Amino acid sequence: MKSDWLPKSIRELMENFDHAGYELVVVGGAIRSFFIGEKPTDWDLSTSATPDEMLELSKLWGIRTIPTGIQHGTLTWIVEGLHLEITTYRIEGTYEGYRRPLEMTFTRDLKQDLARRDFTMNAMAYDLQKGIIDPFGGREDFQKKILRAVGDPKIRLAEDALRSFRAIRFATRYGLVLDQRLEEALDLEGEKVRHLSGERIKQELDLILEMEDWKSGVSGLLKFRLLRDWIPVWSHLYEKEIIDQPMELSERFARFASLMLESDAEPEESDWALVRLRASRKEREMIGSLLVHDPRVKRPIKTAYEARCLVRSLGVLGVEAWLELYSIWQGETEEAILIRQVAGDGTVAELKDLAIGGDDLINMGIQPGRKIGELLMNCLDFVLQSPANNDKEKLQAQIKKWIG
């Protein structure tokens, strides 16, 4: 395997480490990307040099480093615009909290470092002189489309509960079949994901929802009950095979909302799940709006004003997702065409789009307070009735009529 797939800066850095008497190898996603013909975008490297030895080398070569996780042996090297995380080979001991190792020891032995990794496809390394180093058969597994754990899968999943999510994500991303022992381990150990933080669960779920084959990924999560304690309202979807129905949705939050709709979840149930997952307020509001304006219910929208009111309520981003959901249950109806036209014509949808603001009202002699907000909302409705009304002088004249 030639080294021409590596950026020149990484290749030269590997050569420099070698000349200094240390190993520097490429690990992780870059190798997977190479095998499937994709250009790697993230580069992770491992080395036999300790953190102190890496610091000495960086000073000697005049390369800036950031102590990203120096206590765990990781330094970020900034080389010709690339941010390269380089981690010392290490051995991990007993884990705590189903997530972090209690003990960690640096080692000079690459195989010991690879042995601590989760799956065989992630336990490969690339060395300039030796090429692919693959002590656990990861390359063959990856080529055969098999996801297999390094060592005993029950131990691997029990050590770090997030590995259960990663197994489903990797299988979905690369179209892999779970090894039977790994599948059995997932069935036994998957429930330990309840010990993880909501943020970590959401990160993994979001990555799956952003994939082209997202429904297959969610199906895997449901099959092994990985979301049972986080989004219990989805639990019945797998058994009912609703998850296998075709559903063309482009946005992650629309896909999340679609599963809530398929579950007949109330907006409050959805929001409770999103709170537990530590979703942002903006995302909660957007998904909540999609559920409140239930796209399963046919909308008797006949006028541009009614369409603009819906666009205002959903927001410019939300309305595109809502239209995708609406078309699933209703098809491409006349009201959907009208809403799409209104959403795309650039007319006012939010207060910030108005030609007048709070300062203008104060300059008109209106006292700061609730009255300002009420008048601006009235202005927005006035403009929604006719976009031509979004003119500062027209709005000032209308406000004068309202306040007498």
Side-chain angles (χ1 to χ4, degrees):
M1 181 175 174
K2 296 181 180 180
S3 63
D4 55 2
W5 66 288
L6 298 172
K8 181 182 177 183
S9 56
I10 293 179
R11 194 163 58 244
E12 290 178 348
L13 188 63
M14 294 172 75
E15 290 171 348
N16 289 338
F17 268 75
D18 183 58
H19 294 154
Y22 302 104
E23 296 175 2
L24 180 63
V25 298
V26 178
V27 295
I31 296 178
R32 297 194 301 269
S33 295
F34 173 79
F35 282 149
I36 61 174
E38 293 181 353
K39 184 178 180 180
T41 55
D42 294 315
W43 296 92
D44 292 316
L45 298 100
S46 292
T47 180
S48 59
T50 65
D52 288 340
E53 290 167 341
M54 280 197 282
L55 287 172
E56 290 178 8
L57 292 174
S58 68
K59 290 177 182 177
L60 179 65
W61 299 331
I63 299 176
R64 183 186 168 207
T65 60
I66 302 171
T68 314
I70 195 166
Q71 71 274 23
H72 303 297
T74 302
L75 290 177
T76 298
W77 291 58
I78 302 176
V79 183
E80 296 184 14
L82 292 175
H83 284 59
L84 306 174
E85 286 199 353
I86 304 180
T87 303
T88 302
Y89 301 159
R90 63 183 190 238
I91 304 169
E92 295 173 347
T94 306
Y95 277 64
E96 67 172 345
Y98 303 100
R99 187 73 186 101
R100 302 288 182 192
L102 278 171
E103 307 139 8
M104 188 265 303
T105 308
F106 296 134
T107 178
R108 303 284 189 186
D109 187 341
L110 172 58
K111 185 175 179 179
Q112 288 183 318
D113 179 79
L114 296 177
R116 70 179 174 81
R117 298 177 184 266
D118 49 10
F119 308 112
T120 59
M121 71 172 194
N122 295 332
M124 295 183 284
Y126 176 78
D127 179 270
L128 276 182
Q129 307 302 324
K130 302 173 185 176
I132 291 291
I133 298 170
D134 182 17
F136 303 102
R139 184 173 190 171
E140 182 180 358
D141 284 343
F142 196 56
Q143 290 173 339
K144 289 183 176 179
K145 297 289 186 180
I146 296 172
L147 186 66
R148 193 189 315 275
V150 175
D152 187 335
K154 293 178 185 177
I155 294 175
R156 289 283 89 87
L157 299 186
E159 287 172 339
D160 183 351
L162 197 65
R163 287 172 175 165
S164 294
F165 268 90
R166 284 166 59 84
I168 301 302
R169 173 160 62 86
F170 286 135
T172 304
R173 169 68 176 83
Y174 298 108
L176 308 178
V177 175
L178 301 178
D179 166 65
Q180 184 178 343
R181 293 179 65 217
L182 177 56
E183 190 164 325
E184 292 170 354
L186 271 168
D187 209 36
L188 290 172
E189 302 293 336
E191 54 88 22
K192 290 185 172 63
V193 298
R194 70 176 186 274
H195 298 289
L196 298 172
S197 68
E199 291 92 339
R200 297 313 298 265
I201 296 292
K202 188 173 187 302
Q203 286 173 7
E204 289 293 323
L205 178 59
D206 284 352
L207 287 170
I208 289 173
L209 288 174
E210 288 168 355
M211 292 180 183
E212 183 177 351
D213 195 19
W214 63 278
K215 296 200 80 174
S216 175
V218 173
S219 181
L221 297 177
L222 297 177
K223 176 181 179 180
F224 295 105
R225 304 175 299 284
L226 301 185
L227 294 173
R228 182 180 59 187
D229 296 304
W230 296 97
I231 315 178
V233 73
W234 286 4
S235 297
H236 72 286
L237 290 179
Y238 182 75
E239 286 76 9
K240 288 188 175 182
E241 297 182 348
I242 294 175
I243 201 70
D244 296 322
Q245 295 179 10
M247 195 173 287
E248 298 298 326
L249 297 167
S250 56
E251 296 292 341
R252 168 175 54 80
F253 63 88
R255 294 170 177 180
F256 185 97
S258 73
L259 295 172
M260 285 297 176
L261 291 167
E262 293 282 16
S263 303
D264 292 321
E266 295 294 330
E268 294 79 9
E269 292 177 290
S270 173
D271 195 56
W272 176 82
L274 289 167
V275 167
R276 293 201 66 210
L277 293 171
R278 302 292 190 268
S280 67
R281 175 174 291 184
K282 181 179 180 181
E283 186 171 5
R284 287 170 52 199
E285 290 176 351
M286 189 172 293
I287 292 172
S289 183
L290 292 176
L291 300 186
V292 167
H293 297 282
D294 192 339
R296 297 172 298 179
V297 179
K298 189 171 177 61
R299 297 282 157 177
I301 293 176
K302 302 295 184 184
T303 67
Y305 170 64
E306 292 172 328
R308 291 188 195 104
C309 288
L310 181 63
V311 173
R312 179 191 68 180
S313 181
L314 289 166
V316 175
L317 291 177
V319 75
E320 291 299 325
W322 185 87
L323 283 167
E324 287 186 337
L325 291 165
Y326 193 73
S327 67
I328 290 171
W329 277 278
Q330 312 298 337
E332 187 68 357
T333 61
E334 290 183 4
E335 65 271 15
I337 294 171
L338 177 59
I339 294 165
R340 186 171 286 107
Q341 289 173 342
V342 166
D345 67 10
T347 55
V348 172
E350 301 176 34
L351 286 174
K352 65 180 180 62
D353 300 320
L354 287 175
I356 200 169
D359 290 341
D360 297 308
L361 270 65
I362 292 173
N363 291 335
M364 291 174 64
I366 300 169
Q367 293 298 312
R370 183 183 298 176
K371 187 67 174 177
I372 295 283
E374 291 175 354
L375 287 170
L376 287 175
M377 288 301 295
N378 289 341
C379 286
L380 180 59
D381 188 69
F382 183 59
V383 171
L384 290 173
Q385 293 176 41
S386 174
N389 291 333
N390 195 28
D391 174 84
K392 189 173 183 178
E393 292 183 359
K394 285 185 178 180
L395 290 172
Q396 287 176 326
Q398 186 63 33
I399 289 170
K400 289 176 182 177
K401 290 181 181 179
W402 288 331
I403 62 178

